[in-house]
Amino acid sequence: MLGTILNTTTIIVGGTFGAIVRSGIGDKYKQSLFNALGLCCLVLGVNASLPNMAKSEYPVMFILSLAIGGVIGTKLDLAGRIDRLNAKLNARSGKENNSLNGLVTGILLYCIGTFSIVGPVLSCLSPTGGWAFGEAANTYLYTNATLDLVTSAVLAASYGWIMLLAAPVLFCWQGMFYAIAYFFGEAMPEPMRCELSIVGGVLILSSGLAILGIKDCKTVNLLPSLLVPVVFYLIKGLF
């Protein structure tokens, strides 16, 4: 659990630094940060998806997940709700800032991937329960913390203080996998982790396209896609 606490802390530290220096960054430099962030999302999304597609038990699972999740998200108008809330925040602040979509992008970057999913499980299953500093079982989480320190600073410099809200989300996300491993051992099947990484990678890629202004795929509407592999493998486990 120490790795998760450290990972959460680095997001707070990096996000605080980025939000503080944000006011002193000129518009052209902010645009440069957005471009860099968008490109990073493209690379990280592809990196999360492609390696796991070769290991997938059901190669069409991610297609069905995105299709079903997209329909559900569109029916619930998740993207529309976020846009309307963004408009209210912009009206109050008097500034144009797509901060809530930035928060969604940050949460996806922090939470999706092998490090953030497998890391808490390995940490829990270690002899000390993941509380020993420098323990090999925490390597994934320490690596993730280092990456998130830089990412959180860039995101907060682009979107502001709202990015700190991603820290408790990450803690709960990794804490959930830690609890699953604690109570059920390796109850989460590897194929489920694989499918989550594929779908999550596509969502990160989608966020990158929107940040770069190439194509707004309404990533928020696709978020329910992450539930489809979970539900599928839970049902499969009953039979």
Side-chain angles (χ1 to χ4, degrees):
M1 198 65 181
L2 180 62
T4 293
I5 294 174
L6 178 63
N7 200 167
T8 304
T9 302
T10 57
I11 291 176
I12 295 174
V13 172
T16 300
F17 173 78
I20 290 174
V21 302
R22 180 173 186 262
S23 58
I25 300 178
D27 289 340
K28 65 178 181 179
Y29 297 108
K30 287 182 181 178
Q31 185 59 50
S32 178
L33 284 175
F34 275 113
N35 290 339
L37 179 60
L39 291 172
C40 288
C41 286
L42 296 183
V43 173
L44 292 172
V46 171
N47 185 59
S49 297
L50 290 186
N52 285 288
M53 288 181 70
K55 299 182 290 185
S56 175
E57 285 186 340
Y58 305 100
V60 298
M61 172 67 73
F62 83 99
I63 300 175
L64 291 175
S65 297
L66 290 167
I68 295 172
V71 169
I72 294 174
T74 301
K75 177 65 177 179
L76 296 176
D77 192 24
L78 298 181
R81 295 172 190 268
I82 292 292
D83 289 341
R84 288 190 288 273
L85 188 52
N86 258 322
K88 290 181 180 179
L89 292 176
N90 291 337
R92 290 181 180 179
S93 65
K95 297 179 181 179
E96 188 69 24
N97 186 11
N98 203 15
S99 55
L100 289 179
N101 281 307
L103 179 60
V104 171
T105 298
I107 290 172
L108 286 171
L109 285 172
Y110 300 146
C111 295
I112 300 301
T114 301
F115 289 163
S116 205
I117 296 176
V118 179
V121 175
L122 294 179
S123 178
C124 178
L125 297 178
S126 67
T128 61
W131 287 102
F133 186 78
E135 184 179 2
N138 278 319
T139 300
Y140 276 11
L141 293 177
Y142 293 154
T143 303
N144 205 49
T146 304
L147 296 171
D148 289 348
L149 177 64
V150 178
T151 305
S152 59
V154 174
L155 283 166
S158 302
Y159 295 105
W161 290 99
I162 195 171
M163 295 309 304
L164 293 182
L165 295 178
V169 175
L170 173 85
F171 183 84
C172 293
W173 173 262
Q174 292 188 0
M176 175 184 69
F177 290 114
Y178 188 94
I180 290 174
Y182 182 82
F183 289 108
F184 303 106
E186 298 187 56
M188 172 171 280
E190 176 62 28
M192 184 193 295
R193 298 187 201 127
C194 178
E195 299 300 337
L196 281 173
S197 294
I198 296 173
V199 175
V202 174
L203 297 187
I204 294 173
L205 179 62
S206 173
S207 295
L209 293 174
I211 291 172
L212 292 172
I214 298 174
K215 172 68 177 178
D216 184 1
C217 300
K218 303 294 182 184
T219 307
V220 177
N221 280 345
L222 296 173
L223 289 178
S225 304
L226 291 167
L227 295 176
V228 177
V230 176
V231 173
F232 173 81
Y233 280 101
L234 286 176
I235 294 175
K236 183 182 178 183
L238 298 176
F239 301 97

